[in-house]
Amino acid sequence: MREEKFYSVRMRASKNGSHEVGGKHLSGGERLTTYENMIHTVNALLEKGIYHSRGKPDFMKIQFECIDEPIQLVNPLHIETHEVESAEKGQVLARKLLEKAGIQKKMIDLAYEQIPECSGLRGAILFDIHSGKRIDQRKERGVRVSRMDWPDTNFDKWTKCYQMPRNSRIKEALVLATKVSKHPATIAELCWSDDPDYITGYVASKKLGYQRIKKLKEYGNEGGCRIFFVDGLRDLETYIDYLEKQPVFIQWEEENDA
């Protein structure tokens, strides 16, 4: 894998113009691929952007670039799924899990006040667990995690072991959560989709693994959330550089599973 040349392929789609001129963010995607599989990868991202439940895009950008840095191989976070009766109870559980991850309740409350800012963001909010403030200074962009993937054959092996559906949503979310949690500055992540037809979200951390919650919002709600709870005393620019530029492949092996 390391001897082969890989490319980072990224897609973003919006409505009413590009993101830069205020267009509504609809969809995005990240893949790592070889040159031989480029057409297949680009077509998959094109289809994802065109057939999204948030609407039909009138702007889409797909780009790729060669990766020169070594690709890190990372074992995926352990996964657990929680059935809840309602989105309200799902949110209560999410807060409890964030506390278990080591975040003070008052900081969780302050982070939830940031959630209205998440709507329409292309990336994540970085929330400092010491100051209780957003620290990324990216405004409507947020910080977008990039250069990550999970080879299909290895992902299939994982789904069979865990009896999980071969679902691209689970794959993409677990890849992102694993890369984010791998960095020592990350304390936890809180996420649910802006897709009105998808109400499952998660809390993830090194300590808890990937805690999947089946209801974190109501159907029809386009409000999403992605907050990274970080130790703001660490080097912020180095952290953002890792999220955006460090290439990561998920590589699951049963004997390494915790």
Side-chain angles (χ1 to χ4, degrees):
M1 181 179 294
R2 293 177 181 273
E3 296 177 356
E4 238 178 326
K5 183 67 72 175
F6 281 87
Y7 296 79
S8 169
V9 189
R10 300 189 293 276
M11 177 275 291
R12 57 186 173 100
S14 59
K15 188 175 182 179
N16 299 323
S18 70
H19 300 82
E20 288 79 7
V21 298
K24 175 186 175 183
H25 175 70
L26 298 181
S27 178
E30 308 277 343
R31 296 294 306 270
L32 297 181
T33 186
T34 60
Y35 196 83
E36 289 72 20
N37 289 327
M38 184 67 70
I39 292 177
H40 171 77
T41 302
V42 169
N43 285 341
L45 290 173
L46 176 65
E47 184 173 338
K48 178 183 179 182
I50 287 179
Y51 299 110
H52 201 278
S53 61
R54 281 171 60 84
K56 295 181 179 179
D58 55 30
F59 172 87
M60 182 183 294
K61 183 176 182 179
I62 299 177
Q63 66 184 66
F64 70 87
E65 59 185 338
C66 183
I67 292 176
D68 295 319
E69 301 88 347
I71 300 176
Q72 289 186 5
L73 299 180
V74 180
N75 206 51
L77 291 173
H78 177 75
I79 187 170
E80 293 184 33
T81 299
H82 303 269
E83 297 282 351
V84 290
E85 295 178 359
S86 65
E88 182 179 0
K89 291 186 177 180
Q91 290 291 348
V92 170
L93 175 58
R95 287 172 177 263
K96 289 180 179 178
L97 289 169
L98 289 170
E99 284 192 73
K100 285 186 177 181
I103 304 167
Q104 295 181 5
K105 184 179 183 302
K106 65 180 180 180
M107 291 300 169
I108 296 170
D109 292 339
L110 288 172
Y112 264 77
E113 293 178 6
Q114 304 284 330
I115 289 176
E117 287 189 35
C118 293
S119 183
L121 288 185
R122 290 177 299 185
I125 283 177
L126 305 189
F127 180 84
D128 177 16
I129 63 167
H130 302 292
S131 68
K133 296 179 180 180
R134 179 181 178 181
I135 57 174
D136 57 90
Q137 307 297 324
R138 295 293 185 89
K139 298 182 180 179
E140 70 278 357
R141 286 177 58 205
V143 177
R144 185 153 186 100
V145 186
S146 188
R147 296 189 169 195
M148 57 193 172
D149 209 338
W150 194 343
D152 289 337
T153 52
N154 189 257
F155 175 68
D156 290 345
K157 188 168 72 167
W158 177 87
T159 59
K160 291 175 182 177
C161 179
Y162 277 90
Q163 298 182 328
M164 297 290 292
R166 193 179 182 278
N167 186 314
S168 62
R169 289 186 184 275
I170 294 175
K171 176 183 176 181
E172 291 171 6
L174 187 51
V175 168
L176 187 148
T178 298
K179 177 178 178 179
V180 172
S181 68
K182 181 71 175 176
H183 196 282
T186 305
I187 308 303
E189 177 188 356
L190 172 66
C191 175
W192 61 87
S193 174
D194 55 8
D195 187 334
D197 296 333
Y198 193 68
I199 63 175
T200 298
Y202 65 86
V203 171
S205 76
K206 290 181 283 290
K207 182 177 180 180
L208 300 177
Y210 182 91
Q211 300 290 326
R212 187 167 172 255
I213 305 171
K214 294 297 288 292
K215 294 179 183 177
L216 277 180
K217 68 174 188 177
E218 303 294 338
Y219 280 111
N221 184 344
E222 290 193 5
C225 171
R226 191 181 299 279
I227 298 176
F228 300 161
F229 294 82
V230 300
D231 179 354
L233 297 178
R234 297 180 182 273
D235 186 343
L236 181 61
E237 290 306 314
T238 299
Y239 179 59
I240 292 176
D241 187 74
Y242 165 82
L243 296 175
E244 294 181 334
K245 298 179 181 179
Q246 173 60 53
V248 168
F249 261 132
I250 303 301
Q251 182 70 32
W252 177 78
E253 298 297 340
E254 188 171 4
E255 60 268 24
N256 296 330
D257 219 351

